[in-house]
Amino acid sequence: SQQGEEDPQALSIQEGENATMNCSYKTSINNLQWYRQNSGRGLVHLILIRSNEREKHSGRLRVTLDTSKKSSSLLITASRAADTASYFCATDGGITGGFKTIFGAGTRLFVKA
Amino acid sequence: EAQVTQNPRYLITVTGKKLTVTCSQNMNHEYMSWYRQDPGLGLRQIYYSMNVEVTDKGDVPEGYKVSRKEKRNFPLILESPSPNQTSLYFCASSFQGSLYEQYFGPGTRLTVT
């Protein structure tokens, strides 16, 4: 069963603009992660946020987590053409799911130069 | 170089012909996992392994087998492939389960005719 669901499915912006992607999940989690995938290649880990954290930064990335709403957002500031990729959130299985990893369907980001 | 390798990268086969996709990691990770990626569905977990001789089902295990006889290797076996197993497959590993970032292999594109 899919737990993480990203919104929007696709996003097209101009270089220099900010991009925001959202992720919702259904059950309690221990952590939430964001990954990036370039065009059918392997996923690359971006950032991990634990359930007791509310916000985390890494370079131009900012991730927030709202466990009461079971949602997270990924903000990419000052986007570049090289940020064009698909972005996925992933959660652990929580209390019932053990060490499963559950990915959402992803957001496709296109940054126009 | 720390990496996850998969072989083969591309495979075209016929229905019912047993095949194995190999996965190996050189990071001494305890956790390894297999995913399939289909358009619009994101990544779905097939099987995962917490350590040698310890495996568990993900969300879509039907039609697949795995084994973990050595810490570094986690092969995916399709005993009797069917066309609905045509997909892009990824192997991943992490230090300790879905609570840590996962490192992904480059993917294996499988076509079953």
Side-chain angles (χ1 to χ4, degrees):
Chain A
S1 60
Q2 289 289 318
Q3 164 137 278
E5 295 181 2
E6 282 94 342
D7 163 49
Q9 290 186 332
L11 181 60
S12 181
I13 59 174
Q14 293 290 138
E15 211 168 27
E17 294 180 339
N18 295 343
T20 299
M21 289 159 265
N22 302 298
C23 168
S24 61
Y25 57 92
K26 295 187 177 70
T27 62
S28 296
I29 60 171
N30 296 299
N31 71 70
L32 186 143
Q33 303 183 47
W34 285 91
Y35 289 83
R36 166 193 168 128
Q37 182 183 37
N38 285 84
S39 162
R41 301 175 74 172
L43 278 72
V44 174
H45 183 263
L46 295 176
I47 199 163
L48 180 153
I49 186 165
R50 302 209 183 275
S51 60
N52 61 353
E53 297 176 308
R54 291 297 167 259
E55 188 170 310
K56 207 160 183 181
H57 296 255
S58 177
R60 293 185 296 113
L61 305 180
R62 181 173 80 101
V63 168
T64 61
L65 178 64
D66 186 336
T67 53
S68 67
K69 295 181 179 178
K70 293 187 171 60
S71 68
S72 173
S73 67
L74 170 67
L75 168 67
I76 303 174
T77 60
S79 62
R80 306 165 182 167
D83 294 329
T84 295
S86 292
Y87 293 83
F88 296 89
C89 67
T91 61
D92 63 278
I95 296 171
T96 57
F99 288 98
K100 279 186 179 180
T101 305
I102 303 166
F103 279 86
T107 292
R108 295 181 69 178
L109 174 65
F110 182 64
V111 182
K112 293 175 280 189
Chain B
E1 179 191 354
Q3 60 182 349
V4 177
T5 57
Q6 295 178 227
N7 282 292
R9 295 289 313 281
Y10 301 91
L11 179 59
I12 300 174
T13 189
V14 296
T15 299
K17 186 176 180 182
K18 181 179 178 179
L19 66 92
T20 299
V21 184
T22 64
C23 173
S24 183
Q25 50 94 5
N26 63 0
M27 295 168 277
N28 201 35
H29 283 165
E30 293 186 351
Y31 184 91
M32 296 186 74
S33 181
W34 277 102
Y35 301 90
R36 61 177 289 174
Q37 184 176 27
D38 302 290
L41 294 178
L43 278 79
R44 292 180 292 169
Q45 193 171 39
I46 302 170
Y47 271 97
Y48 62 95
S49 169
M50 292 301 298
N51 213 324
V52 175
E53 303 292 1
V54 181
T55 63
D56 209 346
K57 296 178 181 178
D59 283 332
V60 288
E62 295 77 20
Y64 304 94
K65 283 177 59 177
V66 292
S67 67
R68 188 96 181 270
K69 293 184 170 55
E70 304 168 279
K71 198 171 188 178
R72 64 181 292 126
N73 296 323
F74 190 46
L76 179 69
I77 302 158
L78 284 72
E79 295 263 353
S80 183
S82 62
N84 65 12
Q85 292 178 300
T86 292
S87 188
L88 179 58
Y89 290 86
F90 289 101
C91 179
S93 72
S94 78
F95 171 60
Q96 209 174 59
S98 51
L99 301 180
Y100 293 83
E101 68 175 282
Q102 294 186 38
Y103 295 78
F104 280 79
T108 295
R109 190 167 292 279
L110 172 65
T111 302
V112 183
T113 62

